[in-house]
Amino acid sequence: RTGGHDLIVLYGVGDHGGGPTIEMLQRAEDLRRVPTFPAMRYSHPDSAVTALRTSLGDSAFPAWKDELYLEYHRGTYTTQARQKWSLARSEAMLRTAEALATFDTASYPRQRLEGLWRRTLFNQFHDILPGSSIQQVYLDANAQYDTVRAGLDTLTSRSFAGLRARMDTRPPRGGQVPVVVFNPLTWTRSAFVRTARAEGDTVLFAARNVPALGAQVFWIPRAGSPPVASPLLPPTVGANWIGNIALRVEVDTTTGTITRIYDKLNRREVLAPGARGNVLEVFGDLPRTWDAWDIGYTGERSEVTQTSGVTRYADEVEARLSFTRRWGASSVTQTLVLGRESPFLEVRNEADWHETHKLLKVGFTLGLRADSATYAIPYGTIGRSG
């Protein structure tokens, strides 16, 4: 019906990476002897696709320029969260180690990096990373990730020492100590850095405009020197609020919800009038089949409102407001963080989860209207309508 004369047929045991069985190969040979059956030939995927495109032309194929929604396996983005964190951390460290190794005068550690990459990629297997394996698998995977990060720490330290030794660290004037900062990202970056001094104390300084995939030398005063005045006020914390130059965040410390986020730079309220943010909700989650990677809402819904252990802290780098929220046999320790110049609020969560068939979500009711929003997806972002 398509007008073409070629058809690609995939065969084999699809799950667990299996190939064709003896029975499948025998059946293919039997079908070859049927005069009215289409002619069959084994082909490489590239050759098969080329034949199909030649037969039909690209215009015969519809183009889908959007994401593919699958009603199954939606829970794989959150199940076994430590695996997701370990993978992301290992990949970031590998990228940094590779970048630094290219600056090192020593020979490029190709074999060691390849071995660490193989351990990392092995744990992307379709049942390990999605969180649908048994417990023993994750004990092994966690141990492998620990090995990867330890090996990368060694490689990174060695390469960075070589880079630092080749930087011009001659002091422009007395009473200062050189600090080398490396930026492994592909864009210019600025950040506050805290480092130890030879005298045993620590000092905070602003590393401004460190070039992409490059290093820069900064000069910090020795202990006892007068501190350099900063034009920006440090972040602050109060009984039920934290703030910096960009935001003021107010919290109901009895429930853990955020009652106000005021954007100082744009002079506007972020939350809708009378609405709240950081609302923790527990939903009933009873999938029909696969508990580990499917989601099945039951209609059960309740809010986490029991909060205790409020602590407050602020220094030159960030302000923090922490508390623990409890529901059933579980608890979530949350830390609201505002960096010195950060235009956004960071909420760090550490969950001690002991519930079954329950799904935990967080909600913010924002005071804005938009036709679409940009969301992170694997390897990029995508716009989704409201």
Side-chain angles (χ1 to χ4, degrees), residues 14 23 37 57 70 115 119 123 158 176 190 220 227 229 233-234 243 258 277 307 330 359 365 368:
E23 290 77 12
F37 198 81
L70 299 176
R119 284 180 179 268
N123 289 297
R158 187 193 72 181
Q176 290 185 317
S190 299
I220 62 174
L233 295 175
I258 295 174
T307 302
S330 302
L359 184 70
T365 305
L368 56 86

Side-chain angles (χ1 to χ4, degrees), residues 78 255-258 261 271 276-283 297 301-304 323 325 332-336 345-351 353 358-366 375:
T78 54
T255 63
T257 57
I258 295 174
I261 304 177
L271 299 178
R276 300 172 299 157
N278 197 36
V279 178
L280 288 185
E281 295 179 301
V282 179
F283 294 83
Y297 289 124
R301 176 178 178 177
S302 59
E303 184 178 326
V304 180
F323 42 81
R325 307 170 76 175
V332 180
T333 298
Q334 293 191 302
T335 303
L336 278 56
L345 171 70
E346 179 184 0
V347 183
R348 301 172 185 169
N349 297 281
E350 184 175 347
W353 195 248
K358 296 291 185 292
L359 184 70
L360 182 67
K361 299 188 74 175
V362 62
F364 286 79
T365 305
L366 304 179
Y375 292 80

Side-chain angles (χ1 to χ4, degrees), residues 110-120 148:
R110 180 184 180 87
Q111 289 186 339
R112 292 192 64 186
L113 283 170
E114 182 176 340
L116 296 172
W117 262 115
R118 286 183 176 275
R119 284 180 179 268
T120 301
V148 168

Side-chain angles (χ1 to χ4, degrees), residues 220-237:
I220 62 174
R222 296 184 183 275
S225 302
V228 178
S230 173
L232 300 176
L233 295 175
T236 52
V237 62

Side-chain angles (χ1 to χ4, degrees), residues 21 33 53 64 85 100 104 157 248 268 297:
T21 63
R33 294 192 290 269
R53 294 179 64 178
W64 181 261
W85 179 90
L100 276 170
D104 199 349
S157 297
R248 177 183 171 91
R268 61 162 294 167
Y297 289 124

Side-chain angles (χ1 to χ4, degrees), residues 27 34 46 56 81-82 151 158 176 188 197 216 226 232 255 261 301 334 342 346 354 360 384:
R27 178 171 174 76
V34 179
D46 288 345
L56 291 173
R82 181 178 175 183
R158 187 193 72 181
Q176 290 185 317
T188 301
R197 287 190 284 205
Q216 188 169 336
L232 300 176
T255 63
I261 304 177
R301 176 178 178 177
Q334 293 191 302
S342 175
E346 179 184 0
H354 297 277
L360 182 67
R384 294 173 180 152

Side-chain angles (χ1 to χ4, degrees), residues 21-202:
T21 63
I22 294 297
E23 290 77 12
M24 292 176 183
L25 297 175
Q26 290 176 341
R27 178 171 174 76
E29 294 304 315
D30 292 340
L31 290 173
R32 284 175 181 273
R33 294 192 290 269
V34 179
T36 57
F37 198 81
M40 293 188 300
R41 64 181 182 273
Y42 298 114
S43 178
H44 188 276
D46 288 345
S47 302
V49 171
T50 299
L52 196 64
R53 294 179 64 178
T54 301
S55 174
L56 291 173
D58 288 349
S59 61
F61 298 96
W64 181 261
K65 298 181 180 180
D66 204 344
E67 61 187 330
L68 296 174
Y69 173 79
L70 299 176
E71 65 271 28
Y72 300 108
H73 309 338
R74 290 181 293 172
T76 57
Y77 280 101
T78 54
T79 300
Q80 294 289 344
R82 181 178 175 183
Q83 294 301 300
K84 278 76 169 176
W85 179 90
S86 295
L87 173 67
R89 180 61 178 160
S90 297
E91 288 182 335
M93 293 178 68
L94 278 160
R95 184 173 59 248
T96 299
E98 288 182 336
L100 276 170
T102 62
F103 290 101
D104 199 349
T105 55
S107 59
Y108 188 79
R110 180 184 180 87
Q111 289 186 339
R112 292 192 64 186
L113 283 170
E114 182 176 340
L116 296 172
W117 262 115
R118 286 183 176 275
R119 284 180 179 268
T120 301
L121 295 174
F122 178 84
N123 289 297
Q124 290 187 7
F125 173 71
H126 82 262
D127 274 327
I128 298 177
L129 184 57
S132 49
S133 290
I134 61 175
Q135 181 186 17
Q136 185 59 46
V137 170
Y138 296 109
L139 296 177
D140 292 344
N142 290 336
Q144 290 197 35
Y145 277 127
D146 291 343
T147 300
V148 168
R149 292 194 294 272
L152 290 171
D153 279 338
T154 301
L155 286 177
T156 300
S157 297
R158 187 193 72 181
S159 297
F160 182 73
L163 172 65
R164 184 178 56 204
R166 298 195 307 279
M167 299 291 290
D168 184 358
T169 57
R170 292 171 295 181
R173 53 186 177 272
Q176 290 185 317
V177 178
V179 175
V180 178
V181 177
F182 175 72
N183 176 17
L185 304 180
T186 55
W187 58 86
T188 301
R189 185 182 180 190
S190 299
F192 285 95
V193 177
R194 187 185 296 278
T195 186
R197 287 190 284 205
E199 293 82 1
D201 64 345
T202 61

